[in-house]
């Protein structure tokens, strides 16, 4: 299921990239009050999850590529990170806090 969701996200991101008009679309979204709410919601969630990734990784150098991926692809990067972290963890606490367990 997770792979299917990520595949759909890749398709939508690709569609957005080839359609162009990123700046025009951003202006349209930010011009609408609910667009600003949605953008603020997305941004705050990405900052929060970026902080968790940084804390879990325990190193700016290991977290920085994930932060860049979050900026570029949003929740697609989060999905990939969670799948990767789950695959490299033996327990749920280890998934949540990394090697701090």
């Amino acid at each position: 299921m997770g792979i299917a969701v990520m595949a759909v996200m890749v398709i939508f991101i690709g569609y957005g990239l080839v359609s162009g008009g990123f700046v025009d679309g951003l202006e349209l979204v930010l011009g609408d009050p609910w667009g600003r709410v949605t953008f603020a919601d997305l941004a705050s969630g990405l900052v929060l999850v970026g902080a968790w990734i940084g804390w879990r990784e325990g190193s700016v150098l290991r977290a920085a590529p994930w932060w860049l991926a979050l900026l570029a692809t949003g929740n697609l990067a989060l999905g990939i990170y969670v799948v990767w972290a789950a695959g490299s963890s033996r327990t749920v606490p280890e998934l949540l806090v990394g090697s701090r367990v």
Side-chain angles (χ1 to χ4, degrees), residues 1-10 76:
M1 175 72 165
I3 301 296
V5 170
M6 286 189 276
V8 169
M9 292 173 73
V10 167
L76 175 61

Side-chain angles (χ1 to χ4, degrees), residues 8 20 22 33 36 38 44 46 48 56 64 74 85 92-93:
V8 169
F22 176 79
R36 290 190 295 274
T38 302
S44 62
L46 293 178
L48 179 63
R56 185 182 182 279
V92 172

Side-chain angles (χ1 to χ4, degrees), residues 1-85:
M1 175 72 165
I3 301 296
V5 170
M6 286 189 276
V8 169
M9 292 173 73
V10 167
I11 290 168
F12 277 108
I13 290 169
Y15 173 74
L17 288 172
V18 298
S19 296
F22 176 79
V23 173
D24 292 337
L26 189 59
E27 287 174 352
L28 182 66
V29 167
L30 293 178
D32 181 86
W34 279 106
R36 290 190 295 274
V37 169
T38 302
F39 189 78
D41 180 58
L42 172 65
S44 62
L46 293 178
V47 167
L48 179 63
V49 80
W52 168 66
I53 290 171
W55 181 77
R56 185 182 182 279
E57 291 299 320
S59 163
V60 171
L61 288 177
R62 285 198 312 266
W66 291 107
W67 294 337
L68 293 173
L70 285 170
L71 286 172
T73 65
N75 285 314
L76 175 61
L78 172 59
I80 293 169
Y81 180 80
V82 169
V83 168
W84 171 81

